[in-house]
Amino acid sequence: MALTKAAVLIHLAMPLCPCQSGLDYEQCCQPLHRGAPAPTPEALMRSRYSAFVLNDGAYVKASWHPSTRPESLTLEEGDQWLGLEVVSSEQNGDEGRVRFRATCREGAGFAVLEERSRFLREDGHWLYLDGEHEVRPLKPGRNDPCPCGSGKKHKKCCG
């Protein structure tokens, strides 16, 4: 079935989800941000990443298991999250694990957060339990794509 020109223009105007699933935000993380349960631990992790990108601290806190949730949570206004890579994801009954890498701008450079996260499902809702993480500087080569997402070589962009 062919789309009308108006339907194509409407689809092109819809922003892609920050979690980089390739789906529109309205079809991906937005329903979870509005209270729909995540179907998998990976979907919850992606929705939490999107919440960090969108500076939605209320969702980050609400999706955190009460046993490990901090009393207060403030997201850094200046954080600029640039990319997400899901390395692995598994689910065993009501327990899940996701390993991911997230790239962010850090000062004049870039950094990579790598985490192995644990999730629990309670009353049909997946919740973030905790994770082991490491943050390290990202030093792209001069001819590597720029981590900022411009599509240019690093030396011609932020390098």
Side-chain angles (χ1 to χ4, degrees):
M1 178 174 146
L3 294 174
T4 66
K5 186 175 180 180
V8 170
L9 291 175
I10 289 169
H11 178 73
L12 291 175
M14 295 175 109
L16 290 177
C17 192
C19 80
Q20 299 178 336
S21 65
L23 298 173
D24 294 329
Y25 174 65
E26 291 177 345
Q27 299 169 330
C28 191
C29 291
Q30 186 180 52
L32 280 63
H33 291 169
R34 291 185 173 170
T40 65
E42 181 178 334
L44 180 66
M45 188 280 305
R46 286 182 173 279
S47 71
R48 286 173 55 85
Y49 172 83
S50 291
F52 276 97
V53 171
L54 300 170
N55 204 28
D56 184 354
Y59 178 79
V60 172
K61 191 171 179 181
S63 62
W64 208 313
H65 194 275
S67 69
T68 57
R69 179 188 307 146
E71 279 189 39
S72 64
L73 176 70
T74 306
L75 301 183
E76 298 294 323
E77 288 285 333
D79 284 352
Q80 185 179 6
W81 294 96
L82 304 171
L84 175 67
E85 174 191 0
V86 175
V87 177
S88 63
S89 180
E90 62 185 61
Q91 179 180 334
N92 186 9
D94 289 335
E95 296 180 5
R97 296 183 185 274
V98 179
R99 181 174 165 225
F100 68 92
R101 289 186 195 104
T103 305
C104 67
R105 188 176 294 277
E106 185 176 71
F110 300 95
V112 174
L113 163 72
E114 186 163 345
E115 182 169 306
R116 288 177 172 83
S117 302
R118 296 188 315 148
F119 299 85
L120 289 176
R121 182 171 45 194
E122 291 185 351
D123 299 324
H125 288 265
W126 284 101
L127 297 166
Y128 172 78
L129 183 62
D130 59 21
E132 296 176 9
H133 68 273
E134 174 186 0
V135 179
R136 64 184 182 283
L138 176 63
K139 304 220 187 264
R142 291 174 37 83
N143 291 319
D144 290 341
C146 191
C148 78
S150 68
K152 298 177 184 178
K153 289 183 179 182
H154 182 62
K155 69 181 178 186
K156 297 279 186 177
C157 192
C158 297

